[in-house]
Amino acid sequence: QVSPALRSPLLPVWLCSVSGRHGVLFGTDCRLLSDWKSERIFHLYFYSERRGQTQTAHLTIDTHSHHWEEAVREGPCSPGKRCPALEMAIRTKWAGATVIWNGTDSF
């Protein structure tokens, strides 16, 4: 029998398969589940079975960034560059979001 907490988690949790590797993408703000206003700038964490990953990646998601800000910054998803698979997965929920890796190497 599945516990009610597993059917309705208290915090946002997504199980991911990114580039053939399994991982967990999660947030620590329960408002992401119920208040769309909290989806402006928020933090997510990602941990996977990736070799060499010793700590959870801390990501900052900005869903209201502007295209001209991204062009100046020349982010990893600029034309002619490949976008990390995890960023593409995040954008399936938040289209056009900017993902800031906070010092972690993107993967």
Side-chain angles (χ1 to χ4, degrees), residues 4-103:
L6 289 176
R7 290 185 296 229
S8 301
L10 299 176
L11 296 171
V13 176
W14 296 272
L15 299 177
C16 306
S17 178
V18 179
S19 299
R21 297 192 184 264
H22 296 93
V24 178
L25 182 66
F26 61 95
T28 57
D29 186 356
C30 63
R31 293 178 302 156
L32 280 176
L33 296 172
S34 60
D35 184 12
W36 62 270
K37 294 175 193 168
S38 62
E39 292 184 355
R40 166 68 171 90
I41 295 178
F42 55 95
H43 302 279
L44 293 178
Y45 303 88
F46 184 73
Y47 186 79
S48 73
E49 61 182 352
R50 188 183 94 144
R51 178 181 284 170
Q53 183 178 358
T54 58
Q55 59 184 340
T56 304
H58 172 213
L59 309 172
T60 302
I61 313 300
D62 183 353
T63 60
H64 289 85
S65 60
H66 303 290
H67 67 279
W68 57 84
E69 293 171 349
E70 188 170 323
V72 170
R73 197 176 64 235
E74 283 297 321
C77 296
S78 299
K81 294 185 180 180
R82 292 183 58 167
C83 186
L86 182 58
E87 287 188 30
M88 292 175 21
I90 289 170
R91 288 188 185 114
T92 62
K93 170 113 176 101
W94 295 284
T98 299
V99 178
I100 302 166
W101 287 81
N102 298 313

